[in-house]
Amino acid sequence: MPTPSTTSDEYLPSMEGNCRSWKRWARWGAALLPSPMPTSPSQTIILTYHRIIPRTHLQGVYSSPHIIVTQESFRRQMDILRNHYHPLSLEDYVTARETRSPLPRNSVIITFDDGWEDNYRYALPVLRTAGLPATIFLTTGCIGTQHIFWPEEIHFLLHHLPYVRDPALRTLTAQAGIDANSWIEAEETRDGWSFIERLKSIDDARRTAFIEALRAHTHHPSFPQPQHAFLSWMQVKEMQQAGIHFGAHGVTHRLLTQCTEEEVRHECRQSRDTLTNETGIPPSFFAYPNGDFTPEIQRIVAETGYRGAVSTRPGKNNPQTDLYALQRINMSESRLLDPLGRFSPSLFRHMLS
Ligand SMILES: [Zn+2]
């Protein structure tokens, strides 16, 4: 069985192809220029994090590079926020919006999606030391379970294919209604992220059947679950006592735009009830899985009792921004590295400008 070729050294460069690509140089160059749009006092930045992992622990991690920030880089980012910005909790921000109170200049909100166990292990100590507020949006059906998100599993199985250009797998993609060329590209490069994006648009039953066939084809390799663990409810409670806020991110992480109205109501209500029962506090905010929503879904989220919801639409928030479509800036390690592969404070501040 082939072993993953990813190592901690090559992981970061592989995040966006060649780390010394012109893109990185271009970003770096742009960050050194004066910002064309200085942050206005009425604009608030909401940052999205997912996974925080020490650089030396990246081997065997099959999550998308777009959801990973190393602990070393995260620590430096939090120092910058503490020293040069005005960190707020999401609660304080929405209260200020509701009461039309002025917001401080350079206000920034820290959020995490999904509920990864590394948030407890590696992000919490940094947040505690820096004294910063944060909200973690939990996929409640995953908390305290051995659940594995299907994109991680597909990426893992891709690294365990016995050989590439297997006609049987092309048949499987055709049966699932997926363009075979996207699979061939994923097989040959062992980079499945664009293929995985396509799989998000097919229905659950066909995707599950495809993954099951892929498991059988690769002889059911053992997934490195510890590197992809979710928080336990005990950890959630400990974090809550340390001042972390929790919001809901649905029960199953299903894309709500692919659910029936009844299923959307269930995802919103059940995740709220579970969080209320486990933490003693009803969650105030919701994060749309994959950032996907419609006006109808917004209405259901509001009717369920949430005070607001965050999306993945990139941008800052002003007093007119819909409280059920708050915009965020996604943080990933690969976007914050200078041309030599080191964390760049200039790039980080440029992303926030
Ligand atoms: Zn998510």
Side-chain angles (χ1 to χ4, degrees), residues 113-114 249 253:
D113 279 7
D114 302 335
H249 195 36
H253 209 274

Side-chain angles (χ1 to χ4, degrees), residues 44-93:
T44 298
I45 296 161
I46 307 179
L47 300 179
T48 311
Y49 292 93
H50 293 81
R51 305 202 61 182
I52 306 297
I53 304 174
R55 200 180 175 94
T56 52
H57 290 45
L58 291 171
Q59 187 166 13
V61 172
Y62 290 93
S63 295
S64 163
H66 295 290
I67 68 167
I68 295 174
V69 169
T70 64
Q71 189 190 33
E72 295 81 358
S73 168
F74 182 69
R75 184 177 287 116
R76 295 189 62 191
Q77 291 167 38
M78 295 304 105
D79 282 344
I80 292 169
L81 294 187
R82 189 184 51 166
N83 293 324
H84 301 285
Y85 292 81
H86 195 114
L88 287 178
S89 69
L90 196 49
E91 279 75 5
D92 288 346
Y93 168 70

Side-chain angles (χ1 to χ4, degrees), residues 52-54 57 71 74 117-126:
I52 306 297
I53 304 174
H57 290 45
Q71 189 190 33
F74 182 69
E117 201 250 3
D118 53 63
N119 294 180
Y120 171 83
R121 199 174 290 273
Y122 304 119
L124 179 63
V126 176

Side-chain angles (χ1 to χ4, degrees), residues 160-171:
H160 287 76
L161 290 175
Y163 58 95
V164 297
R165 285 190 174 271
D166 184 338
L169 287 170
R170 246 168 280 172
T171 306

